[in-house]
Amino acid sequence: MEDAPKQNAAPKTFEEASARLDELVRRMEAGQMPLDDMIAAFEEGRRLVAFCNAKLSEVQRRVEVIKAQEADGTLVREPFQ
């Protein structure tokens, strides 16, 4: 399978995972993969989506903390929009 080495390497950043997802989608849509490779790419894509979702959730929590304001001596937490 052509993508086996990349498949085993976990992405380190959101951007890396997103770029890999784009690559997989482009190749799958172009029909450049045998069926077994396409299934493996789909599975890898699901892992990458989960990674991206976790990163986005983490960023959302951090933004909420950053947006926290002091009001009447108490910390007010504003949800991310």
Side-chain angles (χ1 to χ4, degrees), residues 1-10 19-28 32-45 47-48:
M1 187 161 85
E2 188 177 319
D3 290 311
K6 284 185 183 179
Q7 209 174 16
N8 295 328
R20 178 64 179 152
L21 270 170
D22 287 343
E23 177 187 341
L24 290 173
V25 169
R26 198 170 34 256
R27 291 190 56 220
M28 290 172 76
Q32 298 175 351
M33 297 179 176
L35 183 58
D36 287 341
D37 289 353
M38 190 171 289
I39 291 170
F42 180 80
E43 291 170 342
E44 179 184 1
R47 288 189 300 273
L48 291 168

Side-chain angles (χ1 to χ4, degrees), residues 12-67:
K12 291 180 177 43
T13 65
F14 177 86
E15 292 78 13
E16 185 180 304
S18 180
R20 178 64 179 152
L21 270 170
D22 287 343
E23 177 187 341
L24 290 173
V25 169
R26 198 170 34 256
R27 291 190 56 220
M28 290 172 76
E29 288 178 344
Q32 298 175 351
M33 297 179 176
L35 183 58
D36 287 341
D37 289 353
M38 190 171 289
I39 291 170
F42 180 80
E43 291 170 342
E44 179 184 1
R46 288 184 56 139
R47 288 189 300 273
L48 291 168
V49 167
F51 176 87
C52 288
N53 284 336
K55 285 291 188 185
L56 289 173
S57 292
E58 177 186 328
V59 167
Q60 181 177 353
R61 285 188 302 276
R62 290 177 66 191
V63 168
E64 287 175 352
V65 169
I66 291 168
K67 289 179 68 176

